[in-house]
Each structure stands twice: as structure tokens, then as C-alpha cells.
Amino acid sequence: MTSELLRQYNYDEFLPEKFMPWMRFEESPALGVAAPDFPLWRLEDRARTLLAEWWSKNLYLVVEFGSFT
Amino acid sequence: MNAIAEKYAEDGVASVFLYTNEAHPAEHFPHLTSMEQKFHHAAALRDELGVSRPILVDALDGPCHRAYGSMPNMTWIFNRAGQAIYKSDWTDANSVANALEYYLDISRRRKDRESLAPFTVQRLDYRNADRLAFFKGLTRNGRQAVDDFIKAFGLPPKEFHWEDRDSADDAD
């Protein structure tokens, strides 16, 4: 994790030159193949979990990405 | 989306909210600089905006969010095998419910031993586009969020007034 990546990803102003580089839906993973897994942290207890732990325990898993803002 | 989560939970559908970077940072919710702050903002999402689904927080540099296309409010659906089966560059409850009905029917057909083969379909869905409500929502973040959005995409609807803000607090 570089400080430059942290700064660019967590941009401080909603300006096209800052947010447009992150609009990469067309480059996102294909459907129907193994999806990439990542560690995540549960808000309720800050425990580490994996995305795969959630999809493997349920028939289907709906994941909404977003933030307060 | 909370209602969708509750409606389909008994069918074996889990729903989570994955916390990313701040799309419209401003005075009340500035850009993220630490995981502690990210947890704090995620708690506000739960407590102030009423997200009742489990909230999972991505690392500060957003590796999961970035790997999936880093759109500000997208939704993905995964099956138990770990395959993405639905992806939408914007979250719309009607679209998600429509997809879940389809996939639950697929599960029933599989139980009935119907022979099924996957294929890919692209479809353009439609969401509600209430610009006035959107601008009011931006006011929760602070005046910078409204000003930045106007700079990027133009003026708000004429019915919008800063005094109509959603938040009772104003950093000014």
C-alpha cells in the first residue's frame, strides 16, 4: 500500500480529475468464473473476515458497495 | 435494499454492505485517512442512514473495491461457488429483486433436475433519478459536496435550497 495510492483512492474533492480514474466497471471481473476474494473487516466487532466466507455459506450473496457520502 | 435483504433472507440470500472510499467527501465526512475513521464513517452509515445489513469494511486503499471496478454504489451478486452472477454499476433495489427472483427460480429448476447451461446477457435497467433528493442527500456531507457536484455536473434543480438540507447541522 503506497501513500500515493491511498491519497488518490481516498480523494478529497469530488472533481472529475480525481474521481473519474476510478470509474473502472468495464474492467471488472467477468461473470461465471471464480471471483477474486479479499479480506474485509466486520463493523460490529472489527474482526477480519473474507468475502468468500460470506458467499460460501449462502445460496446467494448480495453485496452493495458504497459509503456514507 | 434493507427490505430486499429481509424479504429474501429466508430463501438463503445473504446481503451485506461493503464500505468503500467516500464518493462525495465534505466537511462532515471528509476523505479517509485511517481505518479508525473508516469504521467511524461506517458506523454513521448504520446509525444515521439506517443500513441494517452487516457492514464489511474494505482496507483503507480499497483493494476489494478496486478489483470489482471501484464504482461508488454498485451491486454484485455471488453464488455459493464463488462466481459473480450479476453485476450492476449502480444499485437499484428493483433490479436486484428482479435478479434474485430469477436466480431463486433457477435454484428451484435445478432441484427439479432440469438440465441448465449458463450464458451471458447484457441488459439496460432503469433506476429512479430524483435529482432533488440526491442534492438534499449531499447536504448531509457538507457544503463542499454540493459545491463540488455543481462544478462537475451543473446546477441543482431550481427547487433545491441549501436551507432544505437533510442534516440539522451545518459546518458553516
Side-chain angles (χ1 to χ4, degrees):
Chain A
M1 175 190 324
T2 67
S3 58
E4 186 62 12
L5 172 61
L6 277 176
R7 188 186 63 77
Q8 291 180 358
Y9 174 67
N10 294 294
Y11 55 82
D12 59 353
E13 299 171 289
F14 183 76
L15 299 177
E17 60 269 30
K18 295 188 178 183
F19 69 79
M20 283 305 292
W22 300 106
M23 305 289 113
R24 296 175 176 172
F25 192 69
E26 297 303 319
E27 302 167 28
S28 65
L31 303 180
V33 298
D37 187 24
F38 291 91
L40 301 164
W41 286 263
R42 300 190 313 203
L43 172 63
E44 59 177 318
D45 58 5
R46 302 194 179 189
R48 184 181 184 275
T49 184
L50 289 168
L51 190 56
E53 290 178 16
W54 292 79
W55 70 48
S56 64
K57 291 177 182 170
N58 299 281
L59 184 59
Y60 298 111
L61 173 67
V62 178
V63 180
E64 179 182 4
F65 291 75
S67 68
F68 186 97
T69 62
Chain B
M1 289 295 286
N2 287 339
I4 297 286
E6 291 176 16
K7 179 177 179 180
Y8 293 102
E10 290 186 357
D11 295 314
V13 178
S15 299
V16 299
F17 191 101
L18 201 156
Y19 205 91
T20 66
N21 56 346
E22 296 300 336
H24 301 278
E27 296 89 334
H28 299 163
F29 290 89
H31 67 287
L32 298 170
T33 58
S34 71
M35 282 302 285
E36 187 64 30
Q37 181 195 15
K38 195 164 187 173
F39 280 114
H40 178 72
H41 286 200
L45 178 83
R46 177 193 61 201
D47 301 336
E48 296 181 31
L49 299 188
V51 171
S52 56
R53 290 157 280 158
I55 297 176
L56 306 178
V57 179
D58 198 3
L60 189 58
D61 60 339
C64 184
H65 184 213
R66 288 186 286 110
Y68 283 95
S70 54
M71 300 298 287
N73 188 211
M74 58 184 174
T75 288
W76 290 64
I77 302 176
F78 301 89
N79 63 19
R80 201 195 301 272
Q83 298 171 332
I85 55 173
Y86 166 99
K87 60 178 180 181
S88 173
D89 66 6
W90 197 258
T91 293
D92 177 73
N94 288 328
S95 176
V96 172
N98 182 276
L100 287 174
E101 291 288 347
Y102 179 81
Y103 293 125
L104 289 170
D105 185 57
I106 291 294
S107 295
R108 286 189 283 269
R109 291 166 65 187
R110 283 208 173 106
K111 278 186 179 174
D112 291 341
R113 300 187 180 281
E114 188 173 337
S115 180
L116 298 170
F119 66 99
T120 302
V121 59
Q122 288 190 317
R123 192 177 77 175
L124 198 61
D125 279 9
Y126 292 84
R127 62 183 174 87
N128 180 279
D130 185 340
R131 271 177 68 84
L132 180 60
F134 176 77
F135 267 90
K136 285 185 176 180
L138 285 178
T139 64
R140 286 192 298 263
N141 314 339
R143 188 178 291 272
Q144 181 200 327
V146 176
D147 292 343
D148 284 351
F149 196 86
I150 290 171
K151 281 182 208 165
F153 293 112
L155 293 172
K158 62 181 185 303
E159 298 87 359
F160 174 76
H161 305 287
W162 177 256
E163 294 71 23
D164 295 334
R165 60 191 179 275
D166 264 7
S167 171
D169 298 319
D170 186 348
D172 299 335

